[in-house]
Amino acid sequence: MARQDKRQQIMQAAERLFTSRRFHEITLDDVARTAKVGKGTIYRHFRDKDDLFFQTATSGFDELCELLRRQVPAGASFFDQLTEACMQISRFFEQRRQLFRMMQTEEGRMQWCGGSLRDRWLERRKGLVSAVAEILAKGVAEGQVRADIPPEVLAHLLLGLLRTRARDLSEVAPADCGLALVMDVFYNGVCRRGAGGQASQGTQKDTSP
Amino acid sequence: MARQDKRQQIMQAAERLFTSRRFHEITLDDVARTAKVGKGTIYRHFRDKDDLFFQTATSGFDELCELLRRQVPAGASFFDQLTEACMQISRFFEQRRQLFRMMQTEEGRMQWCGGSLRDRWLERRKGLVSAVAEILAKGVAEGQVRADIPPEVLAHLLLGLLRTRARDLSEVAPADCGLALVMDVFYNGVCRRGAGGQASQGTQKDTSP
DNA sequence: GAAACGAAACTGACTGGTCAGTATCATAGC
DNA sequence: GCTATGATACTGACCAGTCAGTTTCGTTTC
């Protein structure tokens, strides 16, 4: 068996275990056993337990970026691109629910980690945000998206909504909350339109914190 | 010193420590020392380390709910209530940044916990969502918010946006992302409206459709 | 083509340190 | 006296990381 296969095997086992229990509840003996690999082998591929953990957690970003790069047609219209991207992201969150949760969990913890791990995390994360921001920038350029907000900020907000959908709404009210609905809120807001409802005067009260 | 004071002391120490390092990096001896309390005393107030941890993490919800209950004027208009609620939530996230992160981190991990802890978490969480949903329901009733989405779902989405703002945007682009902007996106969406340009700092030129 | 070799990958038993949780006891407050 | 507490000692389980020995595999030599 080739070296890379071993590595793959270890990461798969690590993903399976780290997504099922907490960090300190997983031993490297568990990982080794699950991966059908000697414990020492882990250390030939990963510096230590933390390294294994974060490499596993960050791998999701890589997969997702790769997915977007491949599945979102470069030449398509803004709307098609956005829809496709949201679908891909949502599907990924659903299919890899465990890994998604692990990524969520670790996100909040990255601050506590040594610089290099945190940097690596932020770098991967930025790749995803950029990919989405690029699509939104196209929407701005085509005049379909408001231009008063930087695309990166829009991308974060959209990802936040998708995250919320995957994390909270899928449990609380799955039936009420299709992807189309979330995208609709992102695009049109929750303001009631037409039928004499007040237009987009917005929420511009003084809200400086 | 009264019993509740002790408990308070322990939880404060726990919050300080658990928000600064990872669970397995904190010892109960640390907590006892920081709280100026005997180690055994901790066990008079909390079943075990997990219990202490989750009680600390969930305390944020209680505080936040209490804040909303007190600060959001019951008789005010929908808009005023929503604005006030968002301000309170945002301020809480900012001022108690560490606890907020801890809550975020644990949120994703609740699934892995024994039933009672998870239930307690969800219950507290639901309190917050309900408080926000109630305000939004008022908006629906008054015809200012679209009626095709259940208020709970709207509340989750709004909280998701606020979370994103506190978590990601405050680091990435704090200047670009005031609370008013996030609320505006929630209310009006990112769709470009009308023909009169929105002006300001977009990096893209208008290329009218 | 097979034997001998060497380097790198791999293994898993072992170790040294850590820590949650308990036990003990003297003290304080009521 | 009785309960809660601080201080501290104790212990038994646990586990990350190590390392000496084993396997694998490509290369060289005959």
Side-chain angles (χ1 to χ4, degrees):
Chain A
M1 179 178 295
R3 181 181 161 80
Q4 283 310 310
D5 290 339
K6 289 268 182 227
R7 188 190 162 85
Q8 197 63 20
Q9 241 175 309
I10 294 168
M11 287 190 73
Q12 275 171 10
E15 179 178 332
R16 207 171 108 201
L17 292 171
F18 280 137
T19 55
S20 71
R21 272 168 292 158
R22 289 184 277 175
F23 181 86
H24 67 279
E25 291 172 329
I26 303 299
T27 71
L28 289 189
D29 288 302
D30 288 338
V31 177
R33 203 176 319 117
T34 304
K36 295 193 208 310
V37 141
K39 187 179 181 180
T41 305
I42 295 175
Y43 286 88
R44 295 204 58 76
H45 291 270
F46 303 92
R47 197 179 331 90
D48 53 21
K49 192 183 178 185
D50 268 351
D51 189 43
L52 170 62
F53 186 79
F54 288 115
Q55 294 223 20
T56 305
T58 50
S59 69
F61 281 128
D62 294 341
E63 273 186 63
L64 195 42
C65 282
E66 182 61 22
L67 219 52
L68 291 185
R69 206 173 306 125
R70 272 214 296 260
Q71 300 292 330
V72 176
S77 72
F78 156 67
F79 222 78
D80 288 346
Q81 283 192 348
L82 189 66
T83 304
E84 185 62 31
C86 287
M87 278 179 56
Q88 292 296 334
I89 294 169
S90 281
R91 186 185 301 162
F92 180 84
F93 284 171
E94 278 159 28
Q95 288 181 345
R96 313 279 317 263
R97 179 169 299 272
Q98 297 302 317
L99 181 60
F100 163 67
R101 277 195 185 273
M102 182 173 166
M103 291 163 66
Q104 287 305 302
T105 302
E106 292 329 303
E107 181 104 22
R109 192 190 284 156
M110 283 299 140
Q111 57 170 344
W112 299 330
C113 297
S116 82
L117 285 173
R118 178 175 161 79
D119 289 348
R120 186 165 37 175
W121 178 272
L122 287 178
E123 180 197 321
R124 307 275 180 109
R125 173 174 223 293
K126 194 172 174 186
L128 175 60
V129 173
S130 297
V132 177
E134 206 174 305
I135 296 173
L136 288 164
K138 184 172 175 170
V140 174
E142 291 178 4
Q144 300 188 59
V145 174
R146 52 197 285 182
D148 60 334
I149 305 178
E152 269 81 24
V153 173
L154 294 174
H156 272 291
L157 293 175
L158 176 57
L159 285 169
L161 288 175
L162 293 176
R163 179 167 56 215
T164 298
R165 171 170 180 264
R167 207 177 76 159
D168 305 323
L169 294 175
S170 68
E171 289 180 1
V172 175
D176 296 324
C177 196
L179 177 55
L181 187 148
V182 172
M183 284 188 66
D184 190 43
V185 167
F186 179 67
Y187 198 68
N188 293 310
V190 303
C191 172
R192 176 163 181 191
R193 306 204 178 280
Q198 63 171 70
S200 60
Q201 53 92 306
T203 51
Q204 303 299 350
K205 301 188 69 113
D206 175 19
T207 51
S208 50
Chain B
M1 180 177 292
R3 180 179 164 81
Q4 283 310 310
D5 290 339
K6 287 276 173 221
R7 190 190 161 83
Q8 198 62 22
Q9 234 175 314
I10 295 169
M11 287 189 72
Q12 275 171 10
E15 178 179 332
R16 206 171 110 201
L17 291 172
F18 281 137
T19 55
S20 70
R21 271 168 293 158
R22 290 185 276 176
F23 181 86
H24 67 279
E25 291 171 329
I26 303 299
T27 71
L28 288 189
D29 288 303
D30 288 337
V31 177
R33 204 175 319 117
T34 304
K36 296 192 209 309
V37 143
K39 189 179 176 181
T41 304
I42 295 176
Y43 285 89
R44 298 200 58 76
H45 291 270
F46 302 93
R47 198 183 326 91
D48 53 21
K49 191 181 178 186
D50 265 351
D51 188 42
L52 170 61
F53 185 78
F54 288 116
Q55 295 224 22
T56 306
T58 49
S59 68
F61 281 128
D62 293 342
E63 274 187 62
L64 196 42
C65 283
E66 182 62 22
L67 220 52
L68 291 185
R69 205 171 309 125
R70 272 215 296 259
Q71 300 292 332
V72 175
S77 73
F78 158 67
F79 256 122
D80 287 346
Q81 284 191 348
L82 189 67
T83 304
E84 186 61 33
C86 287
M87 278 178 60
Q88 291 296 334
I89 294 169
S90 282
R91 186 185 301 162
F92 180 83
F93 284 171
E94 279 159 27
Q95 288 181 344
R96 313 279 317 263
R97 179 169 300 274
Q98 298 301 318
L99 181 61
F100 164 67
R101 280 197 183 273
M102 182 173 167
M103 291 164 67
Q104 287 305 302
T105 302
E106 292 327 303
E107 179 104 22
R109 192 191 283 157
M110 282 299 141
Q111 58 167 346
W112 300 330
C113 297
S116 82
L117 286 172
R118 177 175 161 80
D119 288 347
R120 187 166 36 177
W121 177 273
L122 287 178
E123 179 198 320
R124 308 277 179 106
R125 175 175 219 291
K126 196 172 172 187
L128 176 60
V129 173
S130 296
V132 177
E134 205 174 306
I135 297 173
L136 289 164
K138 182 171 176 171
V140 173
E142 292 179 3
Q144 300 188 60
V145 173
R146 52 197 287 182
D148 60 337
I149 306 177
E152 270 79 26
V153 173
L154 293 174
H156 273 291
L157 293 174
L158 176 56
L159 285 169
L161 287 175
L162 294 175
R163 179 167 55 216
T164 298
R165 170 169 181 264
R167 206 177 76 160
D168 305 323
L169 294 174
S170 68
E171 289 180 2
V172 174
D176 295 325
C177 197
L179 177 56
L181 187 147
V182 172
M183 285 187 65
D184 190 43
V185 167
F186 178 67
Y187 198 69
N188 293 310
V190 304
C191 173
R192 176 164 179 191
R193 306 204 179 279
Q198 273 98 330
S200 97
Q201 60 134 286
T203 49
Q204 311 296 328
K205 304 264 187 201
D206 274 356
T207 55
S208 308

